[in-house]
Amino acid sequence: EPEVTQTPSHQVTQMGQEVILRCVPISNHLYFYWYRQILGQKVEFLVSFYNNEISEKSEIFDDQFSVERPDGSNFTLKIRSTKLEDSAMYFCASSEGGDRGLNTEAFFGQGTRLTVV
Amino acid sequence: AQSVTQLDSHVSVSEGTPVLLRCNYSSSYSPSLFWYVQHPNKGLQLLLKYTSAATLVKGINGFEAEFKKSETSFHLTKPSAHMSDAAEYFCVVSHLHTGFQKLVFGTGTRLLVSP
């Protein structure tokens, strides 16, 4: 069964460093997402991406964050200068499309646990 | 604004007994509602979804949920728990008219199943 894969599973980084989280969405999917879950809190929407551009982003997704689909298969989330409060589980997801991606299942990866020290 | 409230942070059941995980939603528009499950070290897996069709929705692994507009609820049930059902369950709402399926998650309910 096709699945979304994320690497690495765990990442430890020093405060102020740049970090890139990588995701390989399901191959025929057109819509891509990042969500995060701070320990003990809700899973929160960060950004959605379609046709090589951001389609929607939350207030969390500030100038420190960026997303890219560099080679047609990977989908990356970059945090330019990490802060302690960026420590969280980051989930990548993708969906097939159809009616602008509405009502089609979002398939999630297993997550990358980012720890900023 | 949309939100979901999962009324129980933990639910404990014995194997073979019914499961009830409660969820109430708030939405200004017609919502799409989902239940996702997360097993340890696994991604979020869709259990079932409601998107304005039948109000009783059947999902994988014997789970089902009923959309009740009058009660703004979407509780998840299963007649008989199995040990493998132990996991974290998330109730999720998505606005039908929101582009690109922006999902709003509840805080999660951890289901514990004892032998």
Side-chain angles (χ1 to χ4, degrees), chain A:
Chain A
E1 184 177 323
E3 59 181 14
V4 176
T5 56
Q6 291 185 243
T7 54
S9 56
H10 294 88
Q11 172 102 38
V12 181
T13 189
Q14 290 206 325
M15 190 169 53
Q17 294 296 304
E18 175 182 286
V19 66
I20 297 175
L21 308 182
R22 301 180 192 280
C23 169
V24 179
I26 294 173
S27 62
N28 63 333
H29 285 187
L30 301 177
Y31 298 82
F32 314 108
Y33 315 85
W34 283 100
Y35 287 78
R36 78 171 186 190
Q37 184 181 29
I38 295 172
L39 188 62
Q41 298 185 25
K42 295 182 181 183
V43 177
E44 302 170 291
F45 170 81
L46 290 179
V47 65
S48 59
F49 190 86
Y50 169 72
N51 198 26
N52 284 320
E53 61 183 22
I54 289 173
S55 51
E56 189 167 354
K57 61 183 180 179
S58 71
E59 58 273 14
I60 302 168
F61 194 88
D62 61 21
D63 292 345
Q64 292 286 77
F65 292 89
S66 62
V67 289
E68 194 178 31
R69 189 155 161 79
D71 56 13
S73 61
N74 290 285
F75 179 52
T76 61
L77 174 69
K78 182 192 291 185
I79 309 174
R80 287 191 184 80
S81 177
T82 49
K83 303 188 283 284
L84 294 175
E85 54 265 37
D86 294 328
S87 296
M89 180 74 88
Y90 287 81
F91 292 104
C92 174
S94 68
S95 64
E96 186 177 319
D99 183 18
R100 294 181 298 132
L102 295 177
N103 303 325
T104 60
E105 178 180 349
F107 289 79
F108 283 80
Q110 80 281 15
T112 293
R113 182 167 296 286
L114 176 65
T115 302
V116 182
V117 297

Side-chain angles (χ1 to χ4, degrees), chain B residues 44-61:
Chain B
L44 294 158
Q45 181 186 19
L46 181 69
L47 273 181
L48 49 79
K49 63 181 179 183
Y50 165 78
T51 55
S52 78
T55 56
L56 181 62
V57 181
K58 293 188 186 298
I60 62 172
N61 301 334

